[in-house]
Amino acid sequence: MALPILYSYRRCPYAMRARMAIWAANIQVEVREISLREKPVHLLQISPKGTVPVLQLPDGTVLEQSLDIMQWALAQNDPQGWLNADPEAMSQLIALNDGDFKKALDRYKYPDHYPEHTQAFYREQGELFLHRLETALVQHRYLLGEKPSMADVAIFPFIRQFAAVDAAWFATSIYPQLRAWLAGWLEGPLFAEIMQKMPVFSMTASEG
Ligand SMILES: N[C@@H](CCC(=O)N[C@@H](CS)C(=O)NCC(=O)O)C(=O)O
């Protein structure tokens, strides 16, 4: 039987969260690792917006948002109970991540592209979210309680990027709980699995 096709990009945080959910749900998919510079024609045909991740189901249904892919996977199989947290709290926190925090992250990463403010300014903007996460993690082990939820999985790939912009700063920053939480995800077996390198998909190779 045909497998769902997942267009993915290894280092993309949106694709990471989608792969985490698919792997956790133990759903088999055909992963097509793409080059963002040379996107496969089939990807653009099924999802003209041209972002990854995109999942095409065998019946032709296309899911073109990482959160939809996570929900789809976990709705089928959620052995770790990632959907058990309050859905409203999960979506609020994820919306903050994907909104203001992602905006600050992009500017902190590439301050040259956004010369209206300094890199330090953009870091401070991002820290508003880090503060919020640290406060939550002081209260409980994961963002929304003692057990991991979809919010943790959806958010940690972005915190990973923020931390990597200036690793020395992050290592001594005032967010010890956040550091420990991030390390827990990065050192976990699931993350190692989803980060395995694979060759870039090319249509000719797959057809051959
Ligand atoms: N809202 C989308 C965002 C996905 C997204 O922006 N992915 C980036 C890579 S991290 C992308 O594909 N960008 C297109 C490009 O760089 O050409 C989702 O949640 O899936």
Side-chain angles (χ1 to χ4, degrees):
M1 208 182 85
L3 294 177
I5 295 169
L6 178 73
Y7 284 101
S8 185
Y9 182 67
R10 184 174 171 271
R11 287 163 45 212
C12 166
Y14 298 99
M16 283 178 200
R17 60 159 65 144
R19 296 199 304 276
M20 289 285 291
I22 292 170
W23 262 244
N26 210 8
I27 297 171
Q28 259 200 301
V29 295
E30 176 189 338
V31 181
R32 295 184 175 179
E33 172 75 11
I34 69 154
S35 150
L36 290 175
R37 292 209 189 121
E38 245 183 301
K39 292 172 186 157
V41 175
H42 180 245
L43 167 63
L44 296 173
Q45 279 167 350
I46 62 170
S47 180
K49 71 179 172 48
T51 64
V52 284
V54 167
L55 185 74
Q56 185 185 40
L57 304 181
D59 72 1
T61 306
V62 175
L63 302 180
E64 46 182 357
Q65 291 295 333
S66 55
L67 296 176
D68 292 340
I69 297 172
M70 293 184 84
Q71 291 278 4
W72 169 85
L74 298 172
Q76 290 177 67
N77 188 21
D78 184 13
Q80 305 189 37
W82 287 353
L83 290 181
N84 290 349
D86 173 23
E88 188 58 28
M90 283 200 282
S91 56
Q92 268 181 18
L93 204 57
I94 295 171
L96 280 177
N97 177 81
D98 290 14
D100 286 351
F101 179 68
K102 173 68 163 83
K103 205 169 142 192
L105 169 61
D106 289 344
R107 283 156 180 72
Y108 177 41
K109 260 171 81 178
Y110 304 112
D112 296 354
H113 299 185
Y114 303 95
E116 34 317 346
H117 294 289
T118 61
Q119 187 181 34
F121 173 88
Y122 295 130
R123 181 160 77 196
E124 278 170 28
Q125 294 289 300
E127 284 189 75
L128 298 175
F129 191 57
L130 301 194
H131 270 292
R132 186 179 172 129
L133 300 188
E134 180 74 11
T135 305
L137 293 169
V138 167
Q139 290 162 33
H140 27 74
R141 204 163 151 212
Y142 292 95
L143 294 178
L144 295 174
E146 291 305 326
K147 297 205 166 136
S149 77
M150 179 169 147
D152 297 271
V153 182
I155 290 170
F156 89 79
F158 296 82
I159 305 301
R160 171 181 179 267
Q161 278 200 350
F162 198 90
V165 174
D166 184 346
W169 170 81
F170 188 72
T172 54
S173 67
I174 55 172
Y175 310 107
Q177 302 298 329
L178 188 67
R179 273 200 297 278
W181 167 86
L182 178 63
W185 286 107
L186 300 183
E187 287 158 16
L190 202 52
F191 188 67
E193 278 177 41
I194 66 131
M195 290 304 278
Q196 277 182 21
K197 290 201 174 140
M198 49 164 44
V200 171
F201 168 77
S202 97
M203 195 47 109
T204 28
S206 103
E207 282 170 352

